Amino acid sequence: MMNGMLWCRYAAQWHAAKRFYAGIRASGRMRLAGDSSGCSVLIKKFGSEPRMAGKRTVCSAAESSGGSNRKDRIPVAPSGPRRMSLAKLRNMAESGKPLVMLTAYDYPSAVHADLAGIDIVLVGDSLGMVELGHDTTQFVTMSDMLHHCRAVVAGARRPLIVGDMPFGTYEVSEQIAVENALRMIKEGHVNAVKLEGGMSRAKAVRRIVETGIAVMGHTGLTPQSISSLGSFRPMGQTLGEAKRVLEDALALQEAGVFAIVLECVPARLAKRITEILDVPTIGIGAGRWTSGQVLVYHDMVGMLTHPHHAKVTPKFCKKYARTGEYINNALQAYRDEVRSRTFPSDEFSPYSMPDSHWDDFDEFSKHMVKSPALQQQTSAENAANADIKVY
């Protein structure tokens, strides 16, 4: 019995040592390992991995774990990319480091945003205008948002993902707002939600936050209110409007938002509101002194050149590329090469068939071809073969 227990202990220590040294080799680390596991004793005693023919080794949990220091001796697997957290965003803002936010609506744009090191990706209801071709954001549905949110989450693994709550999903009642915010998290897989409005939406924001969902506020120009505003126009240009924007921002902060978008307001108003608030501000058409900036992906890369898009592209948007022109040139070149039969060339026709197989297939398929030219060719070949005399 005693010999069996000793053997069990030796076997457990051997396996622990084997895993430990394998980990050192895998990680490339070179450091001295102690003899607390009895590895040197085992090597001298057995010379190789201990075995018990015909018997099963039974060890206690403590023995099979290789001792209490096993965690310190075994290398830890590298972790995947970590999602941006609200705490980190707040620390960045407090340290004066501007936050970078960008919209994305599908997997490719989300991947680009991730690779570029964007801090926050907003799946905006602006997809209704730049992706679906609507004149306003009011026609975007919850189903639209959930579909696009899932695609963006799949493509962007590092940024914080915020999903816009579309028009009509939070205005009716606080309970409906909570239910739809829960859908955005559970079905859209986003990390936070954004909704428009100030004092009039503060109660709904508070209820959503109390549910455990992070909320980003949005005041200044609120595009979902286009019906009552009459047009997309800047806000805060008069004393009354400036007071209202500030009061809305304070109400949203009191309700528990983690950040506030300020859209289309004078730069000095946005700067003063940012100085007053405790939460970060994200500007869009609001000058450079907010805590961060956001732009629409399609606008800033110059994606579209259609007259409809040119009509709705805001004045404050800087185009960092002319992607739409490159795409149009590529599409026109493709069209021309197809029509001239220069594409695909031999370079892009990589698949082949042995001549012997082709000759057999050619003979087999000639009887099935309906092309007049090929039928003429087949008839001519048949006539020529008929003239050949066999001796």
Side-chain angles (χ1 to χ4, degrees), residues 123 127 140-153 164 166 180-190:
V123 189
L127 69 88
V140 176
T141 66
M142 177 62 79
S143 296
D144 293 332
M145 290 305 305
L146 296 177
H147 172 81
H148 287 270
C149 283
R150 286 190 292 267
V152 169
V153 171
D164 255 338
N180 284 319
L182 287 169
R183 288 193 66 193
M184 292 288 289
I185 301 295
K186 294 173 69 67
E187 300 177 41
H189 305 165
V190 297

Side-chain angles (χ1 to χ4, degrees), residues 348-369:
F348 299 103
S349 304
Y351 313 112
S352 61
M353 177 188 290
D355 291 342
S356 59
H357 289 264
W358 170 251
D359 292 340
D360 293 340
F361 179 78
D362 184 44
E363 185 63 31
F364 167 78
S365 63
K366 282 178 179 178
H367 305 291
M368 302 179 182
V369 175

Side-chain angles (χ1 to χ4, degrees), residues 24-212:
I24 291 178
R25 288 194 298 271
S27 64
R29 293 186 299 168
M30 296 298 293
R31 62 183 178 88
L32 294 176
D35 287 336
S36 60
S37 63
C39 299
S40 59
V41 175
L42 287 172
I43 293 171
K44 292 177 182 178
K45 188 173 184 65
F46 299 108
S48 61
E49 182 176 351
R51 298 179 182 275
M52 291 183 68
K55 293 184 179 181
R56 178 177 297 176
T57 303
V58 181
C59 304
S60 67
E63 290 171 337
S64 63
S65 67
S68 60
N69 294 327
R70 183 187 178 207
K71 182 182 293 186
D72 298 331
R73 294 185 284 107
I74 296 180
V76 178
S79 59
R82 297 188 63 180
R83 181 79 66 185
M84 177 68 71
S85 66
L86 297 183
K88 187 172 182 180
L89 287 174
R90 176 176 283 276
N91 290 338
M92 289 172 63
E94 290 177 350
S95 67
K97 185 176 182 179
L99 306 177
V100 183
M101 186 161 85
L102 182 69
T103 68
Y105 311 104
D106 52 26
Y107 180 83
S109 58
V111 170
H112 285 304
D114 196 354
L115 293 175
I118 301 300
D119 302 316
I120 310 170
V121 168
L122 171 66
V123 189
D125 60 354
S126 48
L127 69 88
M129 303 178 74
V130 298
E131 289 278 339
L132 305 181
H134 300 312
D135 289 328
T136 75
T137 63
Q138 290 185 326
F139 305 118
V140 176
T141 66
M142 177 62 79
S143 296
D144 293 332
M145 290 305 305
L146 296 177
H147 172 81
H148 287 270
C149 283
R150 286 190 292 267
V152 169
V153 171
R157 301 176 63 192
R158 293 174 178 81
L160 185 80
I161 310 296
V162 181
D164 255 338
M165 294 187 66
F167 180 67
T169 61
Y170 57 90
E171 297 90 344
V172 177
S173 71
E174 298 165 25
Q175 183 60 33
I176 291 176
V178 170
E179 291 173 358
N180 284 319
L182 287 169
R183 288 193 66 193
M184 292 288 289
I185 301 295
K186 294 173 69 67
E187 300 177 41
H189 305 165
V190 297
N191 309 121
V193 299
K194 182 174 79 66
L195 48 82
E196 296 181 6
M199 291 181 288
S200 61
R201 302 288 174 250
K203 290 183 178 180
V205 169
R206 183 179 297 278
R207 282 289 306 277
I208 295 172
V209 172
E210 289 173 350
T211 306

